[in-house]
């Protein structure tokens, strides 16, 4: 039996897999983890009492636009890396766009603020805990994405782990916005981003061990 005949014989009775399976499984993992993160924010941290008012302001949507942009880009990277086929990640430089835009807003804030107030603007009132809260809140979403990967066939395990961590961190930061009262772009750029990067680093570190198939 030649190779082509062997392949046809082995694949003859294999059922066709819907192209929607990947998206469906990722969605289940993301939503499942996101629900747990939302419960943690609601039950332990609490929703900011002025949320309804804050949602009419610029700073709230500035934070959400930043974290959502990173989250959407990262989950797209996850969906590409979940496949066994070789993929190019050159487009990931686009994730720098929301970072640069937020940096521009932050510079504008600094220009309009007396230099004596810069440190207070940068540190806010929660800089010591913000990155660690984002990292902690990312873990349920990260676990959900790891569950999603169990039925997939990633080959670039470290990159897939980093992308999963980045996605988890960005979406956790999005949910964390419901609690966080900080309004400075320079705060979000520094401390939110640090939490998201830490989540990506954890994913890159442990992803290869947990995604191996």
């Amino acid at each position: 039996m030649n190779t082509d005949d062997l392949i046809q014989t082995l694949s003859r009775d294999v059922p066709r897999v819907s192209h929607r399976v990947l998206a469906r499984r990722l969605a289940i993992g993301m939503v499942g983890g996101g629900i747990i993160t939302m419960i943690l924010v609601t039950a332990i941290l609490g929703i900011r009492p002025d949320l309804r008012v804050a949602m009419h302001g610029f700073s709230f949507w500035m934070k959400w636009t930043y974290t959502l942009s990173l989250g959407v880009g990262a989950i797209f990277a996850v969906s590409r890396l979940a496949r066994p086929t070789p993929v190019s990640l050159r487009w990931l430089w686009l994730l720098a766009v929301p970072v640069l835009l937020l940096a521009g807003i932050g510079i504008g804030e600094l220009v309009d603020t007396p230099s004596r107030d810069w440190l207070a603007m940068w540190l806010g009132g929660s800089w010591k805990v913000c990155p660690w809260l984002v990292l902690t809140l990312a873990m349920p979403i990260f676990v959900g994405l790891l569950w999603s990967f169990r039925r997939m066939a990633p080959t670039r395990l470290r990159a897939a782990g980093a992308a999963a961590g980045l996605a988890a961190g960005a979406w956790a930061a999005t949910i964390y916005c419901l609690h966080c009262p900080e309004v400075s772009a320079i705060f979000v750029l520094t401390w939110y981003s640090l939490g998201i990067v830490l989540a990506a680093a954890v994913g890159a570190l442990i992803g290869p061990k947990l995604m191996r198939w």
Side-chain angles (χ1 to χ4, degrees):
M1 179 180 294
N2 60 39
T3 303
D4 292 338
D5 291 339
L6 177 60
I7 293 173
Q8 291 180 3
T9 301
L10 293 174
S11 62
R12 182 178 301 154
D13 298 322
V14 176
R16 177 173 296 181
V17 178
S18 171
H19 65 280
R20 297 180 181 177
V21 169
L22 174 61
R24 187 183 304 122
R25 191 166 180 86
L26 285 175
I28 292 172
M30 281 284 300
V31 171
I35 289 173
I36 296 175
T37 296
M38 185 67 186
I39 291 173
L40 291 175
V41 169
T42 304
I44 298 177
L45 299 177
I47 303 298
R48 55 185 296 183
D50 63 339
L51 179 62
R52 184 173 297 180
V53 175
M55 292 185 72
H56 292 282
F58 171 77
S59 61
F60 181 85
W61 293 104
M62 170 196 69
K63 291 190 288 187
W64 255 20
T65 300
Y66 177 62
T67 57
L68 282 171
S69 298
L70 294 179
V72 169
I75 202 65
F76 182 72
V78 168
S79 68
R80 298 292 302 277
L81 289 165
R83 307 173 189 272
T85 54
V87 295
S88 172
L89 297 179
R90 294 179 181 177
W91 59 270
L92 282 177
W93 68 268
L94 290 173
L95 292 178
V97 173
V99 177
L100 294 174
L101 290 175
L102 189 63
I105 296 173
I107 292 172
E109 287 180 347
L110 293 175
V111 170
D112 293 336
T113 304
S115 58
R116 64 178 178 273
D117 296 329
W118 285 0
L119 184 61
M121 178 187 295
W122 179 47
L123 299 180
S126 59
W127 70 276
K128 292 182 179 180
V129 298
C130 177
W132 305 109
L133 286 174
V134 171
L135 175 61
T136 302
L137 293 172
M139 289 303 101
I141 303 175
F142 181 64
V143 171
L145 288 173
L146 287 181
W147 172 85
S148 300
F149 272 104
R150 298 304 297 175
R151 292 290 183 88
M152 301 174 192
T155 54
R156 301 173 64 178
L157 300 183
R158 194 166 301 280
L166 181 65
W171 287 102
T174 301
I175 298 173
Y176 177 65
C177 288
L178 300 175
H179 163 78
C180 178
E182 305 290 354
V183 297
S184 168
I186 201 70
F187 178 94
V188 175
L189 180 65
T190 304
W191 308 114
Y192 272 53
S193 299
L194 179 57
I196 294 170
V197 169
L198 287 173
V202 170
L205 182 64
I206 68 175
K209 299 178 182 178
L210 299 178
M211 293 179 180
R212 186 174 292 112
W213 53 282

